Every structure is written in structure tokens, then in C-alpha cells.
Amino acid sequence: MKVLDCRGLTCPKPVILTKKEVEGQDFDELQIIVDNKASKENVAKYLKSANVAFDVEEKDGLYYFYAKKDGDLKKVEEPIVCSISNAEIDTSLTYIISTDKMGLGDDKLGSMLMKSFIYSLTEISQKPGTIIFLNSGVFLTTEGSDVLDSLKKLEELGVEILSCGTCLDFYNLKEKLVVGTVTNMYTIVEKMNSTKTIKI
Amino acid sequence: MNVLITFDSTNFAIQCEAVLKQQGIKGNIMPTPREITKSCGISIKIFHDDLEKVKELIKEGKIKVKRLYKFDENKIFEPIE
């Protein structure tokens, strides 16, 4: 049986990988391993809607899925949305944060508004699948930022946090990234093209 | 348990944030919950453990606040007298 090891991956990646396998040519049986609840719930949700039979077992903090083709598969067309309890991650939505201050005008006010904005994302139920930080936006994901707690919380819930590598390099922040991972312009363009993008 | 500090003006909030930082008190900027006020939309969330220190700062006139509220996970805001 093929094993899809998704340890270390946050939702919705395990769901996307599972979908790829299930929709592949030779899908018959598949074991999927995930290490967090959001992924577990959403892989289960996907398998159910794709009409795949499965069992899931929890062992030592890991979840083992045994999925098996049982009758006709149903192609799942709707975008993969990661949800746990009241948090909905909308993977068809991307925020691009290109500044560490919100809006034009006074810097102190702009900085305050940005903090308030990021904080409110942790509380609002619909969250973007990805947040990309570029130019002075990378001051928010690196050491000394006042919103690290909020961003960490978002990342734990399954929001992908990306910082522009060129920008980190320019501001000498490469070694100081605290939340999320580094990305480049190709990924940024792909996200802009493939999801609804809101620039802040 | 957390404490929410609300302000009469955004400038007081900005000033308070700077004072808290200087005093080493952890404060999180957040929008003022809709159930509390429609006016100045910025509040600061602090840990309940820092309440006495903040009360001291108010007494010394270093920060100007409108009201303080206690709240927990359930988001029920209880005014502190």
C-alpha cells in the first residue's frame, strides 16, 4: 500500500496531496499519516466527499488513515477549505501585505492600524489561506515585530505565512525570520494568478 | 484572564502603547470589541497579572484610559472599577 506521509505539514497541504493521490491513475489503497487535528478533520471531510472508504486510527499523537477505493469516486470541484471548530481557512483567498503600516498618512496611526488588523484576523472566522509579506511588510514577521503572537496563532490554525526573500535580504532580516517561511516572486505571482488576492 | 484597556482617543492609545513598551509590560493592540463602543476603535489587551502596574501608571498620570475591562476566552467584558 502506498503511504502518504504528511507529518510536519499543516492543513490544507495534506488534503491537497491526498486529493492528488485519489485522483491519480492507479489509486486503489492509500495510507495517509497526519500529525494535527485540522489536517485529520479535513482529510476525513475530503475523503467522505470524494466517496472513498476509510478508517482512521490515532496513535502517539499521529493519525493514520487507511483509504480504499470502494465504488465510483466523486470528483471534488470546490476549493479546499480547512476548517476546525470556528476557524475557516479559505485557500482561495490570499492577502498581500506590502507594508508594515496600514493606509497612507501618519506612521504611528498606520502601525497601530496594522497591529489591530492582524489581531482581528486571529478572531474573525474566515481566514485567508495565505498571507504574503513583502517590502516593509517583512518587519511584521521578523524579530522585534509586535504581531508575532497573532501570526504564530494564524500559522497554527493553518494559514500559510510567507515572507519575500529579496525583501528579507534587503533589510538584513534573513536570519531574523520568526514566523512562516521564505518565498520568491514566482510563488507570489502564482498566488496572485490562482487565488483571489487582496493587497494591503 | 486578560484586561482590555479602552481610550477616549487614538492618540491616548498610541501613547499608552509606548509607555507599556517602555515599562516592559506586554500589550497587544486590538480593535475595540463592537459590544463595548463604536467610538475610538483601538484598545490594548494586557495580562491580568499586569493590572496593578497599569493602575499605578494611570495614577501617576502616565497613561490616560477610558475604562478597563476584565475578560476571558468567552469574551464577556466586565468593567473594572
Side-chain angles (χ1 to χ4, degrees), chain B residues 43-77:
Chain B
S43 294
I44 298 180
K45 180 173 102 169
I46 58 161
F47 291 118
H48 192 266
D49 289 348
D50 291 323
L51 178 60
E52 290 312 312
K53 280 188 239 166
V54 167
K55 278 186 173 168
E56 200 56 40
L57 291 170
I58 297 170
K59 225 183 270 172
E60 292 167 11
K62 287 188 176 142
I63 54 176
K64 289 196 179 70
V65 311
K66 187 178 187 184
R67 278 206 102 145
L68 302 176
Y69 298 83
K70 262 199 286 197
F71 72 104
D72 58 15
E73 294 299 304
N74 298 322
K75 300 272 152 54
I76 295 167
F77 296 90

Side-chain angles (χ1 to χ4, degrees), chain A residues 108-109 112-113 115-116 119-120 123 146 149-150, chain B residues 10 13-14 17 21 26 29-31 42 45 75:
Chain A
K108 274 187 191 157
L109 177 63
M112 195 101 177
L113 292 176
K115 288 175 204 169
S116 180
Y119 181 89
S120 66
E123 296 206 330
D146 286 325
D149 288 348
S150 297
Chain B
T10 309
I14 292 172
E17 192 205 13
K21 214 177 235 179
K26 200 170 160 58
I29 302 288
M30 64 178 275
I42 300 281
K45 180 173 102 169
K75 300 272 152 54

Side-chain angles (χ1 to χ4, degrees), chain A residues 151-166:
Chain A
L151 292 178
K152 277 183 195 157
K153 195 169 167 193
L154 288 171
E155 190 179 37
E156 271 165 34
L157 290 170
V159 178
E160 187 180 26
I161 309 284
L162 301 174
S163 293
C164 151
T166 310

Side-chain angles (χ1 to χ4, degrees), chain A residues 104-144:
Chain A
L104 289 175
D106 186 85
D107 280 357
K108 274 187 191 157
L109 177 63
S111 153
M112 195 101 177
L113 292 176
M114 183 58 87
K115 288 175 204 169
S116 180
F117 171 71
I118 305 262
Y119 181 89
S120 66
L121 289 181
T122 66
E123 296 206 330
I124 226 113
S125 61
Q126 192 203 17
K127 303 180 203 301
T130 306
I131 308 179
I132 297 171
F133 292 87
L134 53 89
N135 211 325
S136 62
V138 298
F139 284 105
L140 299 168
T141 55
T142 48
E143 272 172 37

